[in-house]
Amino acid sequence: QVQLIQSGGGSVQPGESLTLSCAASGGTFSSKAMGWLRQTSGGPRDPVAAISWDGERTMYTNSVKGRFFISRDNQKSMLYLQMNNLKPEDTGVYYCAAGSQTIPSTAMPYVAWGQGTLVTVSS
């Protein structure tokens, strides 16, 4: 089972940028689709972005398209989420997660989770 350790996050003002990182160990990171999910106010963890095992295919929820960019480095077993032009509605706890598939899909189940990191966007 892959283990995921997150870093990054914090508090920023609207319009600023942040990068989240996720380091994977164990398991088979390079063969799994990966994703970033966001949880707000104790609600469900909603997918924000996902990437295929080889980095060739990405998916984004509509609200972040053109502002957030997911990437991975399989050599370093790292997953990233570059977040630009942040808005207050982007506030939440972000989780990196390993998918159960090689190619992401809207309803892809996730099988391993990072510890979560809080992102707060406020003026």
Side-chain angles (χ1 to χ4, degrees), residues 1-101:
Q1 183 81 322
V2 63
Q3 289 84 46
L4 303 171
I5 302 296
Q6 299 177 222
S7 60
S11 296
V12 297
Q13 295 188 343
E16 294 186 338
S17 299
L18 274 177
T19 300
L20 304 182
S21 300
C22 178
S25 62
T28 53
F29 170 83
S30 61
S31 68
K32 296 184 182 296
M34 297 291 296
W36 289 96
L37 298 91
R38 178 171 63 205
Q39 184 177 37
T40 58
S41 303
R45 297 178 185 181
D46 295 322
V48 172
I51 189 168
S52 60
W53 69 277
D54 58 359
E56 292 295 315
R57 278 156 282 198
T58 57
M59 296 177 61
Y60 297 94
T61 192
N62 286 338
S63 64
V64 308
K65 285 182 180 177
R67 299 188 298 120
F68 288 17
F69 299 95
I70 187 172
S71 62
R72 67 190 297 162
D73 185 336
N74 285 344
Q75 294 294 323
K76 296 181 179 179
S77 296
M78 292 292 297
L79 178 73
Y80 305 99
L81 183 67
Q82 174 68 41
M83 304 184 291
N84 300 323
N85 190 21
L86 281 159
K87 302 177 179 181
E89 51 264 41
D90 296 321
T91 294
V93 177
Y94 284 73
Y95 295 88
C96 70
S100 59
Q101 306 166 184

Coordinates of all heavy atoms in Angstrom, one line a residue, residues 1-101:
Q1 N 0.8 -1.2 0.0 CA 0.0 0.0 0.0 C 0.9 1.2 0.0 O 1.8 1.4 0.8 CB -0.9 0.0 1.3 CG -1.9 1.1 1.3 CD -3.1 0.9 0.5 OE1 -3.0 0.4 -0.6 NE2 -4.2 1.3 1.0
V2 N 0.6 2.2 -0.9 CA 1.4 3.4 -1.0 C 1.1 4.3 0.2 O -0.1 4.4 0.7 CB 1.1 4.1 -2.3 CG1 -0.3 4.5 -2.4 CG2 2.1 5.3 -2.5
Q3 N 2.1 4.9 0.8 CA 1.9 5.9 1.8 C 2.2 7.3 1.2 O 3.1 7.5 0.4 CB 2.9 5.7 3.0 CG 2.6 4.5 3.8 CD 3.1 3.2 3.2 OE1 4.3 3.1 2.8 NE2 2.3 2.2 3.2
L4 N 1.4 8.3 1.7 CA 1.4 9.6 1.1 C 1.6 10.6 2.2 O 0.9 10.7 3.2 CB 0.1 9.9 0.3 CG -0.2 8.9 -0.8 CD1 -1.6 9.1 -1.3 CD2 0.8 9.0 -1.9
I5 N 2.6 11.5 2.0 CA 2.9 12.6 3.0 C 2.8 13.9 2.2 O 3.6 14.1 1.3 CB 4.3 12.4 3.6 CG1 4.4 11.0 4.3 CG2 4.6 13.5 4.6 CD1 3.5 10.9 5.5
Q6 N 2.0 14.8 2.7 CA 1.8 16.0 2.1 C 2.6 17.2 2.7 O 2.9 17.1 3.9 CB 0.3 16.4 2.1 CG -0.7 15.5 1.5 CD -2.1 15.8 1.6 OE1 -3.0 15.0 1.9 NE2 -2.4 17.1 1.5
S7 N 2.8 18.2 1.9 CA 3.5 19.4 2.4 C 2.9 20.6 1.5 O 2.4 20.4 0.5 CB 5.0 19.3 2.3 OG 5.4 19.1 0.9
G8 N 3.1 21.8 2.1 CA 2.6 23.0 1.4 C 1.3 23.4 2.1 O 1.0 22.9 3.1
G9 N 0.6 24.3 1.5 CA -0.6 24.8 2.0 C -0.3 26.0 2.9 O 0.8 26.5 3.0
G10 N -1.4 26.6 3.5 CA -1.2 27.7 4.4 C -2.3 28.7 4.1 O -3.3 28.4 3.4
S11 N -2.0 30.0 4.5 CA -3.0 31.1 4.3 C -2.4 32.1 3.3 O -1.3 32.5 3.4 CB -3.2 31.8 5.7 OG -3.8 30.9 6.6
V12 N -3.3 32.4 2.4 CA -2.9 33.4 1.4 C -4.1 34.3 1.1 O -5.2 34.1 1.5 CB -2.5 32.7 0.0 CG1 -1.3 31.8 0.2 CG2 -3.7 31.9 -0.5
Q13 N -3.8 35.4 0.4 CA -4.8 36.4 0.0 C -5.3 36.0 -1.4 O -4.7 35.3 -2.2 CB -4.2 37.8 0.0 CG -3.8 38.3 1.4 CD -3.4 39.7 1.4 OE1 -3.2 40.3 0.3 NE2 -3.5 40.3 2.6
P14 N -6.5 36.4 -1.7 CA -7.1 36.2 -3.0 C -6.1 36.7 -4.1 O -5.5 37.7 -4.0 CB -8.4 37.0 -3.0 CG -8.8 37.0 -1.6 CD -7.5 37.1 -0.8
G15 N -6.0 35.8 -5.1 CA -5.1 36.2 -6.3 C -3.7 35.6 -6.1 O -3.0 35.6 -7.1
E16 N -3.4 35.2 -5.0 CA -2.0 34.6 -4.8 C -2.0 33.1 -5.2 O -3.0 32.5 -5.6 CB -1.6 34.8 -3.3 CG -1.4 36.2 -2.9 CD -0.9 36.4 -1.5 OE1 -1.0 35.5 -0.7 OE2 -0.3 37.5 -1.3
S17 N -0.8 32.6 -5.1 CA -0.6 31.2 -5.6 C 0.0 30.3 -4.4 O 0.6 30.8 -3.5 CB 0.4 31.2 -6.7 OG -0.1 31.9 -7.9
L18 N -0.2 29.1 -4.5 CA 0.3 28.1 -3.6 C 0.6 26.8 -4.4 O -0.1 26.5 -5.4 CB -0.7 27.7 -2.5 CG -0.7 28.6 -1.2 CD1 -1.8 28.1 -0.3 CD2 0.6 28.6 -0.5
T19 N 1.6 26.0 -3.9 CA 1.9 24.7 -4.5 C 1.8 23.7 -3.4 O 2.4 23.8 -2.3 CB 3.2 24.6 -5.1 OG1 3.3 25.6 -6.2 CG2 3.5 23.3 -5.7
L20 N 1.0 22.7 -3.6 CA 0.9 21.5 -2.7 C 1.8 20.4 -3.3 O 1.8 20.2 -4.5 CB -0.5 21.0 -2.5 CG -1.5 22.1 -2.1 CD1 -2.9 21.4 -1.9 CD2 -1.1 22.8 -0.8
S21 N 2.4 19.7 -2.4 CA 3.3 18.5 -2.8 C 2.8 17.3 -2.0 O 2.3 17.4 -0.9 CB 4.7 18.8 -2.5 OG 5.2 20.0 -3.2
C22 N 3.1 16.2 -2.6 CA 2.7 14.9 -2.0 C 3.8 13.9 -2.3 O 4.0 13.6 -3.5 CB 1.4 14.5 -2.5 SG 0.8 12.9 -1.9
A23 N 4.5 13.4 -1.3 CA 5.5 12.4 -1.5 C 5.0 11.0 -1.2 O 4.4 10.8 -0.2 CB 6.7 12.7 -0.5
A24 N 5.3 10.1 -2.2 CA 4.8 8.7 -2.0 C 5.9 7.8 -1.7 O 7.0 8.0 -2.1 CB 4.1 8.3 -3.3
S25 N 5.6 6.8 -0.9 CA 6.6 5.7 -0.6 C 5.8 4.4 -0.5 O 4.6 4.4 -0.2 CB 7.3 6.0 0.7 OG 6.4 6.1 1.8
G26 N 6.6 3.4 -0.8 CA 5.9 2.0 -0.8 C 5.0 1.9 -2.0 O 4.8 2.8 -2.7
G27 N 4.4 0.8 -2.1 CA 3.4 0.6 -3.1 C 3.9 0.8 -4.5 O 5.1 0.7 -4.8
T28 N 3.1 1.1 -5.5 CA 3.4 1.3 -6.9 C 2.9 2.6 -7.4 O 1.9 2.7 -8.2 CB 2.9 0.1 -7.7 OG1 1.5 0.0 -7.5 CG2 3.6 -1.2 -7.4
F29 N 3.5 3.7 -6.9 CA 3.0 5.1 -7.2 C 2.9 5.3 -8.7 O 2.0 5.8 -9.2 CB 4.0 6.1 -6.6 CG 3.7 7.5 -7.0 CD1 2.7 8.3 -6.4 CD2 4.5 8.1 -8.0 CE1 2.5 9.6 -6.8 CE2 4.3 9.4 -8.4 CZ 3.3 10.1 -7.8
S30 N 4.0 4.8 -9.4 CA 4.1 5.2 -10.8 C 3.0 4.5 -11.7 O 2.9 4.8 -12.8 CB 5.5 4.8 -11.3 OG 5.7 3.5 -11.2
S31 N 2.3 3.5 -11.2 CA 1.3 2.8 -11.9 C -0.1 3.2 -11.6 O -1.1 2.7 -12.2 CB 1.4 1.3 -11.7 OG 1.1 1.0 -10.4
K32 N -0.2 4.2 -10.7 CA -1.6 4.6 -10.3 C -1.9 6.0 -10.8 O -1.1 6.9 -10.8 CB -1.6 4.6 -8.8 CG -1.5 3.2 -8.1 CD -1.7 3.3 -6.6 CE -1.4 1.9 -6.0 NZ -2.4 1.0 -6.5
A33 N -3.2 6.2 -11.1 CA -3.7 7.6 -11.3 C -3.7 8.2 -9.9 O -3.9 7.5 -8.9 CB -5.1 7.5 -11.9
M34 N -3.5 9.5 -9.8 CA -3.5 10.2 -8.6 C -4.4 11.4 -8.6 O -4.8 11.9 -9.7 CB -2.0 10.7 -8.3 CG -1.0 9.6 -8.1 SD -1.2 8.6 -6.6 CE -0.9 9.9 -5.3
G35 N -4.8 11.8 -7.4 CA -5.7 12.9 -7.4 C -5.5 13.8 -6.2 O -4.9 13.5 -5.3
W36 N -6.1 15.0 -6.3 CA -6.2 16.0 -5.2 C -7.7 16.2 -5.0 O -8.5 16.4 -5.9 CB -5.6 17.3 -5.5 CG -4.1 17.2 -5.6 CD1 -3.3 17.1 -6.7 CD2 -3.2 17.3 -4.5 NE1 -1.9 17.1 -6.3 CE2 -1.9 17.3 -5.0 CE3 -3.3 17.5 -3.1 CZ2 -0.7 17.3 -4.2 CZ3 -2.2 17.6 -2.3 CH2 -0.9 17.5 -2.8
L37 N -8.1 16.1 -3.7 CA -9.5 16.3 -3.3 C -9.6 17.3 -2.3 O -8.6 17.5 -1.5 CB -10.1 15.0 -2.9 CG -10.1 13.8 -3.9 CD1 -8.9 13.0 -3.9 CD2 -11.4 13.0 -3.7
R38 N -10.7 18.0 -2.2 CA -10.9 19.1 -1.2 C -12.1 18.8 -0.4 O -13.2 18.4 -0.9 CB -11.1 20.4 -2.0 CG -11.3 21.6 -1.1 CD -11.3 22.9 -2.0 NE -12.3 22.9 -3.0 CZ -12.2 23.6 -4.1 NH1 -11.1 24.3 -4.4 NH2 -13.2 23.6 -5.0
Q39 N -11.9 19.1 0.9 CA -13.0 19.0 1.9 C -13.3 20.3 2.5 O -12.3 20.9 3.0 CB -12.7 17.9 2.9 CG -13.8 17.6 3.9 CD -13.4 16.5 4.9 OE1 -12.3 16.4 5.3 NE2 -14.4 15.7 5.2
T40 N -14.5 20.7 2.6 CA -14.9 22.0 3.2 C -16.0 21.7 4.3 O -16.9 20.9 4.1 CB -15.4 23.0 2.2 OG1 -16.5 22.4 1.5 CG2 -14.3 23.3 1.2
S41 N -15.8 22.3 5.4 CA -16.8 22.3 6.5 C -17.3 20.9 6.8 O -18.5 20.7 7.1 CB -18.0 23.2 6.1 OG -17.6 24.5 5.8
G42 N -16.3 20.0 6.8 CA -16.7 18.6 7.2 C -17.5 17.8 6.2 O -18.0 16.7 6.5
G43 N -17.7 18.4 5.0 CA -18.5 17.7 4.0 C -17.7 16.6 3.3 O -16.6 16.2 3.8
P44 N -18.1 16.2 2.2 CA -17.4 15.1 1.5 C -16.1 15.6 0.8 O -15.9 16.8 0.7 CB -18.4 14.7 0.4 CG -19.2 15.9 0.2 CD -19.4 16.5 1.5
R45 N -15.2 14.7 0.5 CA -14.0 15.0 -0.2 C -14.3 15.0 -1.7 O -14.5 14.0 -2.2 CB -12.9 14.1 0.2 CG -12.5 14.1 1.7 CD -11.4 13.1 2.0 NE -11.2 13.0 3.4 CZ -10.3 12.2 4.0 NH1 -9.6 11.4 3.3 NH2 -10.1 12.3 5.3
D46 N -14.3 16.2 -2.3 CA -14.7 16.3 -3.7 C -13.4 16.4 -4.5 O -12.5 17.1 -4.2 CB -15.5 17.6 -3.9 CG -16.8 17.5 -3.2 OD1 -17.5 16.5 -3.2 OD2 -17.3 18.6 -2.7
P47 N -13.4 15.7 -5.6 CA -12.2 15.7 -6.5 C -12.0 17.1 -7.1 O -12.9 17.8 -7.5 CB -12.6 14.7 -7.6 CG -13.6 13.8 -7.0 CD -14.4 14.7 -6.1
V48 N -10.8 17.5 -7.1 CA -10.4 18.8 -7.6 C -9.6 18.6 -8.9 O -9.8 19.3 -9.9 CB -9.5 19.6 -6.6 CG1 -8.9 20.9 -7.3 CG2 -10.3 20.0 -5.4
A49 N -8.7 17.7 -8.9 CA -7.8 17.4 -10.1 C -7.3 15.9 -10.0 O -7.2 15.4 -8.9 CB -6.6 18.3 -10.1
A50 N -7.1 15.4 -11.1 CA -6.6 14.0 -11.2 C -5.6 13.9 -12.4 O -5.8 14.6 -13.4 CB -7.7 13.0 -11.3
I51 N -4.7 12.9 -12.3 CA -3.7 12.7 -13.3 C -3.5 11.2 -13.6 O -3.5 10.4 -12.6 CB -2.4 13.5 -13.0 CG1 -1.4 13.5 -14.1 CG2 -1.8 12.9 -11.7 CD1 -0.3 14.5 -13.9
S52 N -3.3 10.9 -14.8 CA -3.0 9.5 -15.1 C -1.7 9.0 -14.7 O -0.8 9.8 -14.3 CB -3.2 9.3 -16.7 OG -2.2 10.1 -17.3
W53 N -1.4 7.7 -14.7 CA -0.2 7.2 -14.2 C 1.1 7.7 -14.9 O 2.1 7.9 -14.2 CB -0.2 5.7 -14.4 CG -0.1 5.3 -15.9 CD1 -1.1 5.2 -16.8 CD2 1.1 4.9 -16.6 NE1 -0.7 4.8 -18.0 CE2 0.7 4.6 -17.9 CE3 2.4 4.8 -16.2 CZ2 1.6 4.2 -18.9 CZ3 3.3 4.4 -17.2 CH2 2.9 4.1 -18.5
D54 N 0.9 8.1 -16.2 CA 2.0 8.6 -16.9 C 2.1 10.1 -17.0 O 2.9 10.7 -17.7 CB 2.1 8.0 -18.3 CG 0.8 8.2 -19.1 OD1 -0.1 8.9 -18.5 OD2 0.7 7.8 -20.2
G55 N 1.1 10.8 -16.4 CA 1.0 12.2 -16.5 C 0.5 12.8 -17.8 O 0.4 14.0 -17.9
E56 N 0.0 11.9 -18.7 CA -0.4 12.4 -20.0 C -1.8 12.9 -20.0 O -2.2 13.7 -20.8 CB -0.3 11.3 -21.0 CG 1.1 10.8 -21.3 CD 1.9 11.9 -22.0 OE1 1.4 12.6 -22.9 OE2 3.1 12.2 -21.6
R57 N -2.6 12.5 -19.1 CA -4.0 12.9 -19.0 C -4.4 13.5 -17.7 O -4.0 12.9 -16.6 CB -4.9 11.7 -19.3 CG -5.1 11.4 -20.7 CD -5.5 9.9 -21.0 NE -4.3 9.1 -20.9 CZ -4.2 7.8 -21.4 NH1 -5.3 7.3 -22.0 NH2 -3.1 7.1 -21.2
T58 N -5.1 14.6 -17.7 CA -5.5 15.3 -16.5 C -7.0 15.6 -16.5 O -7.6 15.7 -17.6 CB -4.7 16.6 -16.3 OG1 -4.9 17.4 -17.4 CG2 -3.2 16.3 -16.1
M59 N -7.5 15.7 -15.3 CA -8.9 16.1 -15.2 C -9.0 17.2 -14.1 O -8.3 17.1 -13.1 CB -9.8 14.9 -14.8 CG -9.9 13.8 -15.8 SD -10.8 12.4 -15.1 CE -12.4 13.2 -14.9
Y60 N -9.9 18.1 -14.3 CA -10.1 19.2 -13.3 C -11.6 19.4 -13.1 O -12.4 19.3 -14.0 CB -9.5 20.5 -13.8 CG -8.0 20.4 -13.9 CD1 -7.4 20.1 -15.2 CD2 -7.1 20.6 -12.9 CE1 -6.1 20.0 -15.4 CE2 -5.8 20.5 -13.0 CZ -5.2 20.2 -14.3 OH -3.9 20.2 -14.4
T61 N -12.0 19.7 -11.9 CA -13.3 20.2 -11.6 C -13.5 21.6 -12.3 O -12.5 22.3 -12.4 CB -13.7 20.2 -10.1 OG1 -15.1 20.4 -10.0 CG2 -12.9 21.3 -9.4
N62 N -14.7 21.9 -12.7 CA -14.9 23.1 -13.5 C -14.4 24.4 -12.8 O -13.8 25.3 -13.4 CB -16.3 23.3 -13.9 CG -16.8 22.3 -15.0 OD1 -15.9 21.8 -15.7 ND2 -18.0 22.1 -15.0
S63 N -14.6 24.5 -11.5 CA -14.2 25.7 -10.8 C -12.8 26.0 -10.7 O -12.4 27.2 -10.4 CB -14.8 25.6 -9.4 OG -14.2 24.6 -8.6
V64 N -11.9 25.1 -11.0 CA -10.5 25.3 -11.0 C -9.8 25.3 -12.3 O -8.6 25.5 -12.4 CB -9.8 24.4 -10.0 CG1 -10.5 24.4 -8.6 CG2 -9.7 22.9 -10.6
K65 N -10.5 25.0 -13.4 CA -9.9 24.9 -14.7 C -9.2 26.2 -15.1 O -9.8 27.2 -14.9 CB -11.0 24.5 -15.7 CG -11.4 23.0 -15.7 CD -12.4 22.7 -16.7 CE -12.8 21.2 -16.7 NZ -13.8 20.9 -17.6
G66 N -8.0 26.1 -15.6 CA -7.3 27.3 -16.0 C -6.5 27.9 -14.8 O -5.7 28.8 -15.1
R67 N -6.8 27.5 -13.6 CA -6.1 28.1 -12.4 C -5.2 27.1 -11.7 O -4.2 27.4 -11.2 CB -7.1 28.7 -11.5 CG -8.0 29.8 -12.0 CD -8.8 30.4 -10.9 NE -9.8 29.5 -10.3 CZ -9.7 29.2 -9.0 NH1 -8.8 29.7 -8.2 NH2 -10.6 28.3 -8.5
F68 N -5.7 25.8 -11.6 CA -4.9 24.8 -10.9 C -4.3 23.8 -12.0 O -4.9 23.6 -13.0 CB -5.9 24.0 -10.1 CG -6.4 24.7 -8.8 CD1 -6.3 26.0 -8.7 CD2 -6.9 23.9 -7.8 CE1 -6.8 26.7 -7.5 CE2 -7.4 24.5 -6.6 CZ -7.3 25.9 -6.5
F69 N -3.1 23.3 -11.6 CA -2.5 22.4 -12.5 C -1.8 21.3 -11.7 O -1.1 21.5 -10.8 CB -1.4 23.2 -13.3 CG -1.9 24.3 -14.1 CD1 -2.0 25.6 -13.7 CD2 -2.5 24.0 -15.4 CE1 -2.5 26.6 -14.4 CE2 -3.0 25.0 -16.2 CZ -3.1 26.3 -15.7
I70 N -2.2 20.1 -12.1 CA -1.7 18.9 -11.4 C -0.6 18.3 -12.2 O -0.6 18.3 -13.4 CB -2.8 17.8 -11.2 CG1 -2.4 16.7 -10.3 CG2 -3.4 17.4 -12.5 CD1 -3.5 15.7 -9.9
S71 N 0.5 17.8 -11.5 CA 1.6 17.2 -12.2 C 2.2 16.2 -11.3 O 1.9 16.1 -10.1 CB 2.6 18.3 -12.6 OG 3.2 18.9 -11.4
R72 N 3.0 15.3 -11.9 CA 3.7 14.3 -11.1 C 5.1 14.1 -11.7 O 5.4 14.3 -12.8 CB 2.9 13.0 -11.2 CG 2.8 12.3 -12.5 CD 1.8 11.2 -12.5 NE 2.1 10.1 -11.6 CZ 1.3 9.2 -11.2 NH1 0.0 9.3 -11.6 NH2 1.7 8.3 -10.4
D73 N 5.9 13.5 -10.8 CA 7.3 13.1 -11.2 C 7.5 11.7 -10.7 O 7.7 11.5 -9.5 CB 8.3 14.1 -10.5 CG 9.7 13.8 -11.0 OD1 10.0 12.6 -11.4 OD2 10.6 14.7 -10.9
N74 N 7.3 10.8 -11.6 CA 7.4 9.4 -11.2 C 8.8 9.0 -10.7 O 9.0 8.0 -9.9 CB 6.9 8.5 -12.3 CG 5.4 8.5 -12.4 OD1 4.7 8.9 -11.5 ND2 4.9 8.0 -13.5
Q75 N 9.8 9.6 -11.2 CA 11.2 9.3 -10.8 C 11.4 9.6 -9.3 O 12.1 9.0 -8.6 CB 12.2 10.1 -11.7 CG 12.2 9.7 -13.1 CD 12.7 8.3 -13.3 OE1 13.6 7.8 -12.6 NE2 12.1 7.6 -14.3
K76 N 10.7 10.7 -8.9 CA 10.8 11.1 -7.5 C 9.7 10.7 -6.6 O 9.6 11.0 -5.4 CB 11.0 12.7 -7.5 CG 12.2 13.2 -8.1 CD 12.2 14.7 -8.0 CE 13.5 15.3 -8.7 NZ 13.5 16.8 -8.7
S77 N 8.7 10.0 -7.2 CA 7.5 9.6 -6.5 C 6.8 10.8 -5.9 O 6.4 10.8 -4.7 CB 7.8 8.6 -5.5 OG 8.3 7.4 -6.1
M78 N 6.6 11.9 -6.7 CA 6.0 13.1 -6.2 C 4.8 13.5 -7.0 O 4.7 13.3 -8.2 CB 7.0 14.2 -6.2 CG 8.2 14.1 -5.2 SD 7.7 14.2 -3.5 CE 7.1 15.9 -3.5
L79 N 3.8 14.1 -6.3 CA 2.6 14.6 -6.9 C 2.5 16.1 -6.5 O 2.9 16.4 -5.4 CB 1.4 13.9 -6.5 CG 0.0 14.4 -7.0 CD1 -0.1 14.0 -8.5 CD2 -1.1 13.8 -6.2
Y80 N 2.1 16.9 -7.4 CA 2.0 18.4 -7.1 C 0.7 18.9 -7.6 O 0.0 18.4 -8.5 CB 3.1 19.1 -7.9 CG 4.5 18.6 -7.7 CD1 5.1 17.8 -8.6 CD2 5.2 19.0 -6.6 CE1 6.4 17.3 -8.4 CE2 6.5 18.5 -6.3 CZ 7.1 17.7 -7.3 OH 8.3 17.2 -7.0
L81 N 0.3 20.0 -6.9 CA -0.9 20.8 -7.3 C -0.5 22.3 -7.3 O -0.3 22.8 -6.2 CB -2.1 20.5 -6.5 CG -3.4 21.3 -6.9 CD1 -3.8 20.7 -8.3 CD2 -4.5 21.1 -5.9
Q82 N -0.3 22.9 -8.4 CA 0.0 24.3 -8.5 C -1.4 25.0 -8.5 O -2.2 24.8 -9.4 CB 0.8 24.6 -9.8 CG 1.0 26.1 -10.0 CD 1.9 26.7 -9.0 OE1 2.9 26.1 -8.6 NE2 1.6 27.9 -8.6
M83 N -1.6 25.9 -7.6 CA -2.8 26.6 -7.5 C -2.6 28.1 -7.7 O -1.8 28.7 -6.9 CB -3.5 26.4 -6.1 CG -3.7 24.9 -5.8 SD -4.6 24.6 -4.3 CE -3.3 25.2 -3.1
N84 N -3.1 28.7 -8.7 CA -2.9 30.1 -9.1 C -4.2 30.9 -8.9 O -5.3 30.3 -9.0 CB -2.4 30.2 -10.5 CG -1.1 29.5 -10.7 OD1 -0.2 29.5 -9.9 ND2 -1.0 28.9 -11.9
N85 N -4.1 32.2 -8.8 CA -5.3 33.0 -8.7 C -6.3 32.5 -7.7 O -7.5 32.3 -8.1 CB -5.9 33.2 -10.1 CG -7.0 34.3 -10.1 OD1 -7.0 35.2 -9.2 ND2 -7.9 34.2 -11.1
L86 N -5.8 32.2 -6.5 CA -6.7 31.6 -5.5 C -7.8 32.5 -5.1 O -7.7 33.7 -5.1 CB -5.9 31.2 -4.3 CG -5.1 29.9 -4.5 CD1 -3.9 29.8 -3.5 CD2 -6.0 28.7 -4.4
K87 N -9.0 31.8 -4.9 CA -10.2 32.5 -4.5 C -10.7 32.0 -3.1 O -10.3 30.9 -2.7 CB -11.3 32.2 -5.5 CG -10.9 32.6 -7.0 CD -12.0 32.3 -7.9 CE -11.6 32.7 -9.4 NZ -12.7 32.4 -10.3
P88 N -11.4 32.8 -2.4 CA -11.9 32.4 -1.1 C -12.6 31.0 -1.2 O -12.5 30.2 -0.2 CB -12.9 33.5 -0.7 CG -12.3 34.7 -1.4 CD -11.8 34.2 -2.7
E89 N -13.3 30.8 -2.2 CA -14.0 29.5 -2.3 C -13.1 28.3 -2.5 O -13.6 27.1 -2.5 CB -15.1 29.5 -3.5 CG -14.5 30.0 -4.8 CD -14.8 31.5 -5.0 OE1 -14.6 32.3 -4.1 OE2 -15.1 31.8 -6.2
D90 N -11.8 28.5 -2.7 CA -10.9 27.4 -2.8 C -10.4 27.0 -1.4 O -9.7 26.0 -1.3 CB -9.6 27.9 -3.6 CG -9.9 28.2 -5.0 OD1 -10.7 27.5 -5.6 OD2 -9.3 29.2 -5.5
T91 N -10.9 27.7 -0.4 CA -10.5 27.3 1.0 C -11.0 25.9 1.3 O -12.1 25.6 1.0 CB -11.1 28.4 2.0 OG1 -10.5 29.6 1.7 CG2 -10.9 27.9 3.4
G92 N -10.2 25.2 2.0 CA -10.5 23.8 2.4 C -9.3 23.0 2.8 O -8.2 23.5 2.7
V93 N -9.6 21.8 3.2 CA -8.5 20.8 3.5 C -8.3 20.0 2.2 O -9.2 19.4 1.7 CB -8.8 19.9 4.6 CG1 -7.7 18.9 4.8 CG2 -9.1 20.7 5.9
Y94 N -7.1 20.0 1.7 CA -6.7 19.3 0.5 C -6.0 18.0 0.8 O -5.1 18.0 1.6 CB -5.8 20.2 -0.4 CG -6.6 21.3 -1.1 CD1 -7.0 22.4 -0.3 CD2 -6.9 21.3 -2.4 CE1 -7.7 23.4 -1.0 CE2 -7.6 22.3 -3.1 CZ -8.0 23.4 -2.3 OH -8.7 24.4 -2.9
Y95 N -6.5 17.0 0.1 CA -5.9 15.6 0.3 C -5.3 15.2 -1.0 O -6.0 15.3 -2.1 CB -7.0 14.7 0.7 CG -7.5 14.9 2.1 CD1 -8.6 15.7 2.3 CD2 -7.0 14.3 3.2 CE1 -9.2 16.0 3.5 CE2 -7.5 14.5 4.5 CZ -8.6 15.4 4.6 OH -9.1 15.6 5.9
C96 N -4.1 14.6 -1.0 CA -3.7 13.8 -2.2 C -4.1 12.4 -1.9 O -4.3 11.9 -0.8 CB -2.2 13.9 -2.4 SG -1.2 13.1 -1.2
A97 N -4.4 11.7 -3.0 CA -4.9 10.4 -2.9 C -4.4 9.5 -4.1 O -4.3 10.0 -5.2 CB -6.4 10.4 -2.8
A98 N -4.3 8.2 -3.9 CA -3.9 7.3 -4.9 C -5.2 6.6 -5.4 O -6.0 6.1 -4.6 CB -2.9 6.3 -4.4
G99 N -5.3 6.6 -6.7 CA -6.5 6.0 -7.3 C -6.4 4.5 -7.5 O -5.3 3.9 -7.3
S100 N -7.5 3.9 -7.8 CA -7.5 2.4 -8.0 C -7.3 2.1 -9.5 O -7.4 0.9 -9.8 CB -8.8 1.8 -7.5 OG -9.9 2.4 -8.2
Q101 N -7.1 3.1 -10.3 CA -7.0 2.9 -11.7 C -5.7 3.5 -12.2 O -5.1 4.3 -11.5 CB -8.2 3.5 -12.5 CG -9.5 3.1 -11.9 CD -10.7 3.9 -12.4 OE1 -11.8 3.7 -12.0 NE2 -10.5 4.9 -13.2

